Amino acid sequence: MTDTPTAPTIRLNGARHDVAAGSSLLDLVAQLTGRELRTDGTRVDGGRLGVAAAIAGSVVPRGGWALRTLADGDEVEVVTAVQGG
């Protein structure tokens, strides 16, 4: 018998969201933006990302996204900068 990790359920911007077991914050941001990201959180194509992420109300620095594995019950906020006025 093998123990397989269950997929965690997080709260993403206030809504329930299932993520794959072992997913990092970097994986989530890449999925949400549709961009390929380096482990430091920058876009592979060199463009600007314009995204910030927080877990449990604390901003996670972009360079730490790959190190932060998402856990069941995490409260995650991902915001995107937009231009306008």
Side-chain angles (χ1 to χ4, degrees), residues 35-76:
R35 303 288 184 189
E36 188 176 354
L37 303 177
R38 294 184 184 101
T39 57
D40 67 358
T42 60
R43 286 177 41 174
V44 169
D45 65 10
R48 298 180 65 90
L49 189 59
V51 171
I55 297 179
S58 295
V59 173
V60 178
R62 186 180 312 263
W65 291 354
L67 302 174
R68 181 52 165 86
T69 301
L70 298 172
D72 197 53
D74 275 345
E75 296 277 340
V76 181

